[in-house]
């Protein structure tokens, strides 16, 4: 899945699209930095923390409330990423 950066990360600038490599420690750090924007269909963004942990069943996060609730329940200690739907 492609993500568009909402903040500089991985040596790239805002607006760049990246393919996340969840084995990359920088990506795992990004889970706490909160810079992901959904660029696919709404409701299709996988939880990046679950993916980083290698969970087979990924949680789909459809809005900020779901992100916050999911992180509060399953990823205590991680800062929930800011959820944004791409606006053209
Ligand atoms: Zn998760």
């Amino acid at each position: 899945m492609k993500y568009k950066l909402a903040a500089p990360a991985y040596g790239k600038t805002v607006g760049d699209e990246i393919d996340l490599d969840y084995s990359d420690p920088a990506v795992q750090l990004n889970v706490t930095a909160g810079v992901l924007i959904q660029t696919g269909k709404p409701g299709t963004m996988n939880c990046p923390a679950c993916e980083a942990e290698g969970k087979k069943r990924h949680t789909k996060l459809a809005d900020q409330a779901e992100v916050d609730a999911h992180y509060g329940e399953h990823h205590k200690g991680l800062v929930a990423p800011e959820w944004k739907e791409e606006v053209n």
Side-chain angles (χ1 to χ4, degrees):
M1 177 172 257
K2 293 245 184 230
Y3 288 98
K4 186 175 285 187
L5 293 174
Y10 318 120
K12 297 184 182 291
T13 56
V14 173
D16 284 352
E17 283 203 342
I18 56 168
D19 244 330
L20 293 182
D21 172 3
Y22 293 101
S23 65
D24 183 344
V27 170
Q28 295 174 28
L29 279 177
N30 182 63
V31 169
T32 65
V35 294
L36 301 179
I37 292 183
Q38 176 172 300
T39 57
K41 289 180 184 170
T44 61
M45 187 172 81
N46 289 329
C47 172
C50 283
E51 290 203 3
E53 292 169 4
K55 292 202 172 104
K56 289 199 170 96
R57 287 180 61 94
H58 300 306
T59 301
K60 306 289 189 188
L61 302 171
D63 56 31
Q64 188 70 59
E66 287 191 7
V67 171
D68 292 342
H70 177 75
Y71 270 68
E73 187 172 350
H74 296 284
H75 305 298
K76 289 181 169 61
L78 291 182
V79 176
E82 183 180 357
W83 184 92
K84 284 190 178 178
E85 190 170 358
E86 184 178 37
V87 178
N88 291 317

